[in-house]
Amino acid sequence: MKNIVLTGFMGTGKTSVGRILASILGLGFVDTDEEIEKNNGKTVAEIFGSYGIKYFRYEESLMIKKISNRGDLVIATGGGAVLNPDNVAALKKKGIIVLLRSSPEVVYSRIGLESNRPLLAGEEDPLQKITDLMQQREDTYRESADLEVTSNNSKELVAAKIIRLLKERECI
Ligand code: S3P
């Protein structure tokens, strides 16, 4: 079976929905950010702080190449993963890309107070920053996706919607 790859902005539920999908479909679950953290013995925020964003993107690409070669997985990616076309190509080799889309307000309500989001750290107006960054990335997210689903509601409902879509497309 093809990997199911979840993409989308921070706080759209890639990790939490991914865990539910994997458990319902009996697939393995991998979160690229978590794997990078394990590999480096540091949180994403610490990696950004110590080594910078370029290093993080490099590690992210290596991790994506490695994970994409495996099968029968639900893969939750970091919000910036699909900005690199090489990552998209690797993920598509054995996977179907499902984009999760939430409104800036919902994203802000979910992640506004979390500290492990270096792209929002120190922002005076995080909602505005989320809105701008989401807008900048919108085309890239949509162009790289095979399917998209709105994820403003609960993770269980979003997982159910994804399963329905995958069945309709005869992917599962
Ligand atoms: C990023 C999103 C984060 C993490 C890093 C960069 C981004 O992942 O990979 O902070 O560029 O949008 P989540 O989408 O899981 O928060």
Side-chain angles (χ1 to χ4, degrees), residues 43-141:
T43 65
V44 168
E46 286 166 350
I47 296 170
F48 268 69
S50 305
Y51 311 129
I53 188 166
K54 275 197 178 161
Y55 174 85
F56 175 79
R57 295 296 182 211
Y58 175 74
E59 284 285 288
E60 185 175 50
S61 282
L62 286 184
M63 191 53 75
I64 285 174
K65 285 203 183 83
K66 193 166 140 193
I67 293 170
S68 300
N69 281 324
R70 295 167 54 191
D72 295 329
L73 286 178
V74 175
I75 303 172
T77 58
V82 298
L83 302 178
N84 178 343
D86 291 345
N87 294 346
V88 176
L91 289 163
K92 281 199 183 222
K93 256 196 313 185
K94 288 190 180 181
I96 177 159
I97 297 190
V98 182
L99 170 65
L100 303 195
R101 302 181 74 219
S102 304
S103 66
E105 290 75 17
V106 168
V107 166
Y108 180 57
S109 72
R110 288 180 183 149
I111 69 170
L113 299 174
E114 284 177 16
S115 59
N116 198 25
R117 311 282 179 168
L119 292 183
L120 301 178
E123 285 295 328
E124 257 180 39
D125 187 346
L127 176 57
Q128 189 59 48
K129 175 77 182 183
I130 290 167
T131 308
D132 294 346
L133 204 52
M134 205 185 263
Q135 178 67 38
Q136 271 172 37
R137 293 178 172 184
E138 173 80 356
D139 290 350
T140 311
Y141 282 139

Side-chain angles (χ1 to χ4, degrees), residues 1-8 12-22 24-25 27 29 73-76 96-102 146-172:
M1 187 175 144
K2 280 201 153 193
N3 292 324
I4 298 168
V5 180
L6 302 183
T7 63
T12 52
K14 301 178 296 283
T15 304
S16 46
V17 170
R19 283 189 204 286
I20 295 177
L21 272 181
I24 294 176
L25 298 173
L27 298 171
F29 174 75
L73 286 178
V74 175
I75 303 172
I96 177 159
I97 297 190
V98 182
L99 170 65
L100 303 195
R101 302 181 74 219
S102 304
D146 298 301
L147 294 175
E148 53 180 73
V149 71
T150 305
S151 66
N152 284 330
N153 28 24
S154 79
K155 47 187 188 285
E156 290 79 12
L157 268 179
V158 177
K161 275 198 277 186
I162 293 173
I163 289 176
R164 201 179 57 227
L165 280 175
L166 291 170
K167 280 190 178 150
E168 274 168 21
R169 303 274 178 117
E170 296 180 354
C171 298
I172 54 174

